[in-house]
Amino acid sequence: MLRRLLPTLIALVAGLAGLGWGLGYLQRIFAAEREDAQASLDSRREALEQYARASLAQSLRDRLESARPALEAAVVDPLVSAAGLYLRERGEQLLPRLSHHDTGEDSPAKERYARLRAGTERADEEEDPWAERLALVRAVDGALARGDRRASTVALMSLLQHRAQYVLASTRDVPGLLVVLESLAERGDPVPQLMHALVREGLADGRGGRLEGLQRLLLLRRSRFTPTDFAFLRERVAALSARVGAPVADFESRASELATEPLPLPRTLPGPVLVRAGWYLEPRGGSQVRGVAVDAAALLESLTREMRERGLLEVDGQVRLLGDAEVLSLDGLPLSVETPEWARAQGALERRYRLKTGMVALCAVLALGIAALAFVAQHRKYRFLELKSDFVATVSHELRTPLASIRLLAETLEWRLAEGTDARDYPARIVRETDGLNFLVENLLSFNRIDKGRWVPRLEPVRLDELVSLLRRDLEAWSKVPVELEAEVGEQAFRADAQLLRLLLSNLARNACAYNTRTPVRLRIEALPGGRVRFSDNGIGIPQAQWETAFEEFVRLPGQGRDVPGSGLGLALCRRIMRLHGGSLRVAASSPEGTTFELAFPPTVTT
């Protein structure tokens, strides 16, 4: 025997050695593939993050560049909004504008305005420019009082020339001009364009310079006034602007926007930076720093949308700003591109590698025995199936013949011994037990034929009341306990296989008797509209959790019913019979008081 097996063993050993070498080489290939795939994922992630970083940096630069005209205009014109703009020169914040009011507690401008309106203002020296200014103010006021329009215009021009020639203290210049313009608006016939210029836009001084209007003048010289003076003059200028029809909303807005403290932004910058507080700052030549307010979250969302539209990110991908540093250098923004695609790819990569490694290991383990076991296992498998099929066919065939003979002999014995009271019940018992065995075999054969698809139902009109009559007769023949069968079926009929339906009802009835502790056993069959039939009993019931389990093959539920033989195929066979007719069988209700089964036939078989 050993010599016969030696060539096979040599071939197996050689084959296993070659297989081992091949599996080892295959494992090295799998490891290299994993490393390459991981490097590819890392490279793609790094490329996307670099793209996101460059795109966000360009967006910030573009935002500052687009704000440059507004920033330059806000520096020159105090009426231009500086919201969202930042400018610092030589360490001083110019934008957003600061109040920088005089810290004194007095209100010299307000008091001087009151004296000017009352005509009690006096100069300290007769040759003082303020004395000349007062004289010009009184000249304008006198001309207006006389109604001399020409004289008032001449006096006003002289006053403006004096303002262009002499620069007086703001606490004198602004109240003096304000009083003159208020008098002109109240008592004169001012030219609208001139008044608008004097109140708002300003005038050219003829020397290449410019005389600012009251609104700009007050905002530009705000640091010369105490908070009380500034608030007072602001109120008077706003009222005058409204009176002469000059725009005043932006003036009020700029006055309200004045901040008391500089923004808490870094004083030194290594280069362009993004401040988490919501600013992008960029140092320029010298000591100048320009900036613009940005919404980092909105920029990241916009960048995420753009990358999704370009197909660089999935729908649920996201670009995030990492870390918690307050100031972030633009050259090294800590951006992270997160997408479930990478997590899925990473997971799939690891799963594939583990699967391949596991398969290699499994092959190595199984290779030692698979060659010898394959033929034996396959041979035994087919031999077992053949024996099983032969056994079922032989047993089924051999059981039918003796069962039929036993029944015939028992019936003959019952007929001959009809006169003997002592032996009269023995033949009936033989017949009953024989019927039980025959029913068991019939269940097995029917289940096997239906399960294999070899039962072709013979469809014919079947009245339900006739089936009930046959069931009643069967119960009288084999039931060991009294059975009361109640039926309300009317003239309901189905186009079905009568033998299968009789087998179905018999199985339900036998189960009702087997799983029952009451005497008598009560059964009820009721026909309902829509091709439905309900079969009820007064048995011990089926727990709801096992309603579907009861229909499985070879399942017998535990209970307190009477001990009767069974195979666990009854309900499984009943459900297959209903499916063969295109219908269904289910437990409609069950409790310790009994169980109700519902048979539902399709309309095509209902007559």
Side-chain angles (χ1 to χ4, degrees), residues 144 168 253 275 420 492 573:
L144 291 173
L168 301 181
S253 297
V275 183
Q492 181 69 60
L573 177 61

Side-chain angles (χ1 to χ4, degrees), residues 223-464:
S223 61
R224 306 295 193 272
F225 302 101
T226 63
T228 302
D229 277 345
F230 183 80
F232 171 76
L233 294 174
R234 170 187 170 185
E235 179 182 355
R236 300 306 306 172
V237 171
L240 175 61
S241 300
R243 184 166 188 171
V244 301
V248 71
D250 53 353
F251 168 72
E252 289 283 19
S253 297
R254 301 298 86 75
S256 302
E257 291 170 358
L258 296 177
T260 57
E261 297 292 337
L263 292 176
L265 296 178
R267 308 301 298 175
T268 58
L269 302 177
V273 297
L274 175 64
V275 183
R276 286 189 185 271
W279 291 91
Y280 169 64
L281 304 180
E282 186 177 296
R284 294 295 179 94
S287 58
Q288 186 183 87
V289 177
R290 293 188 176 189
V292 63
V294 294
D295 185 347
L299 287 175
L300 291 175
E301 184 62 30
S302 175
L303 178 58
T304 300
R305 258 193 325 271
E306 176 195 343
M307 294 181 70
R308 288 174 182 171
E309 292 172 357
R310 292 175 176 268
L312 300 177
L313 282 181
E314 292 183 335
V315 177
D316 46 3
Q318 193 71 33
V319 181
R320 300 184 184 279
L321 194 61
L322 302 180
D324 54 1
E326 188 63 26
V327 180
L328 307 173
S329 175
L330 196 63
D331 295 333
L333 285 175
L335 288 182
S336 171
V337 179
E338 301 174 2
T339 172
E341 176 191 2
W342 289 338
R344 289 193 295 268
Q346 185 73 37
L349 174 62
E350 293 298 328
R351 286 194 299 271
R352 287 196 301 271
Y353 179 73
R354 288 196 299 269
L355 177 61
K356 293 175 181 178
T357 302
M359 292 299 295
V360 169
L362 182 61
C363 289
V365 172
L366 295 180
L368 296 174
I370 195 170
L373 293 177
F375 175 78
V376 176
Q378 200 73 358
H379 181 269
R380 292 184 63 184
K381 174 183 176 182
Y382 286 115
R383 182 60 180 164
F384 171 77
L385 291 177
E386 183 179 359
L387 290 175
K388 177 182 177 182
S389 179
D390 293 341
F391 171 79
V392 172
T394 301
V395 169
S396 300
H397 181 269
E398 293 297 329
L399 282 177
R400 279 196 170 193
T401 301
L403 285 175
S405 301
I406 291 173
R407 179 176 177 83
L408 179 61
L409 292 174
E411 288 176 346
T412 303
L413 180 61
E414 183 181 20
W415 174 69
R416 290 189 175 185
L417 298 179
E419 301 299 329
T421 56
D422 293 338
R424 186 177 181 84
D425 62 331
Y426 286 91
R429 292 173 60 184
I430 293 174
V431 173
R432 187 165 51 247
E433 295 299 331
T434 303
D435 283 342
L437 290 175
N438 186 62
F439 186 78
L440 178 62
V441 172
E442 187 68 25
N443 268 3
L444 288 169
L445 291 175
S446 300
F447 182 86
N448 185 58
R449 288 178 63 189
I450 294 175
D451 191 53
K452 300 299 182 182
R454 295 198 296 264
W455 190 305
V456 180
R458 293 180 295 179
L459 302 179
E460 57 184 358
V462 180
R463 291 177 58 90
L464 190 56

Side-chain angles (χ1 to χ4, degrees), residues 191-212:
V191 178
Q193 294 81 356
L194 178 61
M195 286 299 292
H196 281 201
L198 294 175
V199 171
R200 181 177 173 83
E201 289 86 2
L203 293 171
D205 60 4
R207 300 180 180 181
R210 186 173 184 83
L211 294 174
E212 297 291 351

